[in-house]
Amino acid sequence: MAAEWSAILLTCRRGHGSVSALQRELEVRRLRGGLGPRPPALLLAVEDPWARLGSGGATLNALLVAAEHLSARAGCTVVTADVLRDARILILHMGRDFSFDDCGRAFTCLPAEEPGAPAEALVCNLDSLLGTMTHRLCVGSPPGVWVCSTDMLLTVPSTPGINWDGFQGVRVIAVPGSPAYARNHGVYLTNEQGLVRDIIYKGTEAQIQQCAGPDGTVPLVCGIVFFSSDAAEQLLATHVIPPLDACTYMGLDSGAPPIQLSLFFDIVLCMAGGMTEEDFVKGGGDTSVRSARSVVWTALRGFPLSMVCIPNASYDYMTTSASDHIRSLTLLPGSASHLRFCKTAHSHVDQPCLLEDGSSVTNCLLEGAVQLAAGSVIQHCHLQGPLVIGPGCLLSGLDVGSSPALRGHPLRDVVLQGHHIRLRDLPCRVFTLTGRLDDWQIPVEEATYLNVPWAEFFQQTGVREGDLWDAETPRRSRCLLSARLFPVLHAREALGLEDVLWLLGLATVASEQLARWRMAWRMSWQELLPCLDVEAELGARQALFFLQGQCKVRRVLLGRQDSSLLPLARSAVHEGYHEAVLGTLDEVASTASDAGIAARALACIAEVLGCMAQGEGGLRSGPAANREWASAFGRLESGDIAGGVQKLAAERQKWMSRPALLVRAARHYEGAEQILVRKAVMSSCQFITVEQVELPPLGHWVQVVCPARLDLSGGWSDTPPITYEHGGAVVDVAVLVDGCRPIGARVRRIVQPELRLVSLSGTPRSEAVAELVCRELEDLQDYCQPHAPGALLKAAFICTQIVQFPSQTPLRAQLMESYGGGFEVHTWSKLPHGSGLGTSSILAGAVMASLYRAAGKAASTESLIHAVLHLEQRLTTGGGWQDQVGGLVPGIKIGRSKAQLPLRVEVEQILVPDGFTQTLNDHLLLVYTGKTRLARNLLQDVVRNWYARLPSIVRNADALVTNAEECAQALRQGDLLLLGKCLDCYWQQKKCMAPGCEPLAVGCMMDALRPYVHGQCLAGAGGGGFLYVLTKAPRQKEALHQILANTEGLGNFSIHSIEVDTGGFSVEVVECDMKDGAHAGGDRAV
């Protein structure tokens, strides 16, 4: 479950010029899917009307802005509180500036990745809080307004256990903490009913102790408040009453004087049960605040203030202590967190072994040997080694040009940051350097700089107090915060990182360094803060994120890693970096060492184009034979991958203008990828060996009859490219259906130099349903179009090399020269179309076996398995190897392929206990569902998902292979119960691989049969065809028929017996009369 927000508002301090950049950040999160399943219609970054408004004033202003926008959307011409009645509003406060992140605590990046997120992105504290509020804390709450600070790291269990029954008024959220931690923070004092009596801030030990619970913990104020709709309406009503009107932009526009209010102490506290009106009002600072408190008391005092303390939650305020900040980024969060911190997050590190445990790298590109000690953090940096970063360091915002300066300065216990600032219209880069132990505000006499007393620093460097502070600056105001330490501009020279690193005083300071520093225009951190360019900083982080993302693309593809690049592709499209990612994919595809890597790169390009279409432009699957792409396809077919990729990229530029064209371009990239997959699979041709045998007499039929196959587990793992990128294992059984082998082909040589292709209706002696005669090579050119008449048979003639195509020699000449005539081929199958029993691949094997023999050649079963793989690639159906293994190899077996090229299939016969084959015959039944599989694009969808390396698909591919080995073991043990479990598991795996493969009627059928079977599964890819069941009792054909007959909504079904075929396919030569065009009458075996 998730909270469904009507509005999310992010408040930011006035004067930083960042509101437009923050609005973009919110919009990007909406695109990424980071705001819940139904993102709010209203998403706003709201600038505070005054520089020091306080959290209370910011809340009132944001509430007014939300109400105004919701009123406008409701068609109102004035602000009406009625819009709050059913609204669910979340207000997040950016709060004060933060020493360690120019974008504030909300946008401080956490060392975490979210592998399940739809779009890949840096995880900021804001994202963590949004996830906590949307998916945990606020689930089930009534309409109202949530207010949340962003100045803390918050961890909440997945089920906080908040009871909202009968709730009214205002509720504060607390987390348990130690009394020692509470000394520097706020705690709630409550009564036995959970109503707040007081809020104690930095209280005495005795005050804190009276708040403690039985376990000794105290409820910490964590910056989260919920106002019911009624309370929110009353709070909103105060925006027109002076002096509270000064908290809003309307007050600013009306000329009201500024006012600063705290959310907790100037608003929420008035509802505490132990507070009197006199104490509350007098507690205000100046007259205006006391007046404001009086208005708030009148408006809100009548509402109960309750508290919920969340067990196992944790709260870590983001202080100005560098030690605390480094600790929070290098220690794992509690087990209740929805995030998992990692040493390296969204970063490319050339030598990860140089990063010690307990260090942290986020959004970085570290090239070469960059050594990082435990207890140090690097964020948003592009560095080139060799570099050594010692313990206790925080490095942020350093670009690649900073690396040479760093090499001469071993770092330890320092905070080194690069900043983007804007001096009016002049953008600048400024570097700041402080010590981990420094305090910003302690006076110079008592404080340190770079972890040493100021006096020692002055002595080491030659810097004087007069260089840092004006003579009129009071002694108590001379502190690190106000020290003009950091060079900004120089009259004659460009400034860089070296202009602050010399302050470390690690060696004798040259007089020219000191002179250069003195000549530069320098600013203090206090002066720099208002000049920070948040928009430029966010932009730089984004650029670095996609730069390391491009490195990830290369790393994943060239390293054949099972990481999904689809989330990165989505982010690149959302944030305008798609061209950079496309360029990197072009580069990988054109320089890859093998066709498999290049094919995956092209599939990734198709994904980027599909993302750019943003769900418009039609279905992803569709035709891919537009002539405009033919030149590029031709290059790929000829083996010129680099040239083909270049041609594809050039053509792509013409198809980028609108969604329909983008989708069509994506289809053609998938077509190009299939060409390379075919190239990769055709490496299996080296495992095809054919020997010469006696040529059968003219007119004699070579007849091959094959069993069907049942796939008991592992299917889909045999499908290219899964089979050679992941490795596959499939357990298959060759079966007779209703006592016979249902698939067959026969071939004879005929006098006429032509190819006669005949499809029979079901048996060798049945009527022809389709006949085709090929007399010219041109008649074969559509062999690669699977739905063209006779395509499989045409492809078989070409793959067996009976016919050379293309060739300068006419077909008739080829046939007469090599065979003294032509060929006639008959094929048949007793199984319905889309049966799921492997018909087309087994038929291809039968055709090739009979063609080889009729042409005076012979191929082993292993050769036939690989020959069918080759044929299906030439045919462009792109199937796997399990069907031909199942139908051409007798009995029960497991086929395997390794994750490598060339693709080789190895088959192991599974030895079962004596009598177990008959047991299987007694317990296995086939149920024809009456449903024909309609999803032609099922294979294309599975391959697309595999190339995207969706985590669920990768896990499922692992599970398919594991289940196949377990199934093989169940068969060796003769364990029907375990075999049934494997079948049920396999069906779940098929549904994961190809969602939608279980029609409603089939689901009803399986539900009806479930009590009577150990396991059941749709054969093949699913979607229809045959269901096979392993019954608990033997010989249940009639019983199951009765059960299904009494089940509504099943349509035309039928039940068939099956037997394990231990003999395998048969090849025989039969004699017949030689009348032209005659079909087999009076045949006899020879």
Side-chain angles (χ1 to χ4, degrees), residues 114 547 752:
E114 296 181 293
L547 188 61
Q752 292 82 358

Side-chain angles (χ1 to χ4, degrees), residues 698-701 748-750 824 1070-1084:
L698 197 69
H700 280 53
W701 290 103
R748 65 176 177 179
R749 287 191 299 122
I750 57 177
E824 182 174 349
V1070 293
E1071 187 180 346
C1072 75
D1073 296 335
M1074 271 301 301
K1075 295 179 182 178
D1076 277 352
H1079 300 311
D1083 299 341
R1084 64 185 179 87

Side-chain angles (χ1 to χ4, degrees), residues 592-784:
S593 57
D594 67 49
I597 293 173
R600 185 178 173 191
L602 295 184
C604 290
I605 292 175
E607 288 290 6
V608 174
L609 296 174
C611 291
M612 290 174 68
Q614 297 182 340
E616 300 180 4
L619 296 173
R620 277 290 305 277
S621 298
N626 189 291
R627 292 179 182 177
E628 300 294 324
W629 299 82
S631 175
F633 282 17
R635 290 285 186 96
L636 297 177
E637 293 280 12
S638 70
D640 179 10
I641 294 178
V645 170
Q646 188 176 3
K647 287 270 190 184
L648 286 169
E651 185 60 33
R652 181 177 74 218
Q653 294 304 316
K654 307 172 189 174
W655 296 68
M656 306 279 276
S657 60
R658 62 181 192 273
L661 292 179
L662 285 164
V663 168
R664 290 166 65 194
R667 292 171 182 168
H668 283 82
Y669 262 95
E670 289 185 343
E673 152 234 303
Q674 289 161 12
I675 292 172
L676 297 184
V677 170
R678 289 201 295 276
K679 293 284 184 187
V681 174
M682 282 196 245
S683 63
S684 64
C685 288
Q686 60 190 273
F687 304 116
I688 303 172
T689 55
V690 179
E691 60 184 33
Q692 294 294 324
V693 295
E694 182 183 356
L695 192 68
L698 197 69
H700 280 53
W701 290 103
V702 176
Q703 181 165 298
V704 175
V705 184
C706 298
R709 72 95 187 89
L710 284 186
D711 55 317
L712 299 187
S713 57
W716 285 122
S717 73
D718 66 304
T719 304
I722 301 172
T723 190
Y724 62 75
E725 291 185 350
H726 176 274
V730 183
V731 174
D732 273 321
V733 184
V735 293
L736 307 178
V737 179
D738 292 332
C740 70
R741 293 175 179 154
I743 302 162
R746 59 180 182 174
V747 179
R748 65 176 177 179
R749 287 191 299 122
I750 57 177
V751 174
Q752 292 82 358
E754 61 190 23
L755 306 179
R756 296 182 189 170
L757 314 178
V758 181
S759 176
L760 305 178
S761 60
T763 66
R765 302 183 185 282
S766 59
E767 292 296 315
V769 294
E771 289 192 49
L772 186 67
V773 179
C774 301
R775 297 186 176 92
E776 309 291 342
L777 282 178
E778 289 75 14
D779 297 333
L780 300 178
Q781 63 185 1
D782 59 355
Y783 77 94
C784 57

Side-chain angles (χ1 to χ4, degrees), residues 570 665 795:
R570 290 193 184 110

Side-chain angles (χ1 to χ4, degrees), residues 880-902:
W881 44 257
Q882 63 142 317
D883 295 345
Q884 58 265 38
V885 168
L888 299 178
V889 179
I892 308 168
K893 59 270 172 182
I894 180 169
R896 298 185 182 93
S897 62
K898 295 178 181 176
Q900 65 184 36
L901 290 173

Side-chain angles (χ1 to χ4, degrees), residues 470-623:
D470 297 332
E472 59 271 19
T473 304
R475 299 297 301 175
R476 299 297 298 175
S477 298
R478 296 188 181 192
C479 59
L480 178 54
L481 186 64
S482 61
R484 294 193 183 98
L485 279 161
F486 311 118
V488 177
L489 294 172
H490 195 281
R492 295 190 300 272
E493 301 175 60
L495 297 172
L497 187 59
E498 61 275 10
D499 292 295
V500 294
L501 284 174
W502 75 274
L503 296 170
L504 288 167
L506 298 174
T508 303
V509 177
S511 59
E512 57 266 24
Q513 286 179 309
L514 178 58
R516 173 183 164 93
W517 178 83
R518 282 191 171 131
M519 286 183 65
W521 179 41
R522 303 182 312 280
M523 297 174 72
S524 67
W525 180 239
Q526 192 172 41
E527 293 166 331
L528 283 170
L529 277 172
C531 303
L532 293 176
D533 191 338
V534 173
E535 185 170 9
E537 178 61 31
L538 289 170
R541 293 180 185 184
Q542 182 189 53
L544 184 56
F545 173 79
F546 285 106
L547 188 61
Q548 68 81 29
Q550 288 168 261
C551 293
K552 176 181 179 176
V553 168
R554 297 185 189 95
R555 183 174 72 245
V556 167
L557 295 180
L558 297 176
R560 297 179 171 86
Q561 296 176 7
D562 285 337
S563 299
S564 178
L565 295 176
L566 180 56
L568 180 64
R570 290 193 184 110
S571 283
V573 170
H574 295 332
E575 301 182 47
Y577 277 80
H578 50 276
E579 288 291 354
V581 172
L582 286 171
T584 302
L585 291 167
D586 287 335
E587 171 205 319
V588 171
S590 59
T591 59
S593 57
D594 67 49
I597 293 173
R600 185 178 173 191
L602 295 184
C604 290
I605 292 175
E607 288 290 6
V608 174
L609 296 174
C611 291
M612 290 174 68
Q614 297 182 340
E616 300 180 4
L619 296 173
R620 277 290 305 277
S621 298

Side-chain angles (χ1 to χ4, degrees), residues 395-435:
L395 273 62
S396 177
L398 305 183
D399 57 24
V400 68
S402 306
S403 299
L406 285 170
R407 286 182 195 128
H409 296 84
L411 301 180
R412 184 187 184 97
D413 292 326
V414 295
V415 177
L416 182 57
Q417 296 172 277
H419 310 273
H420 290 87
I421 68 167
R422 183 169 288 274
L423 303 171
R424 294 192 177 176
D425 293 327
L426 178 65
C428 297
R429 287 280 283 152
V430 175
F431 298 96
T432 59
L433 176 67
T434 56

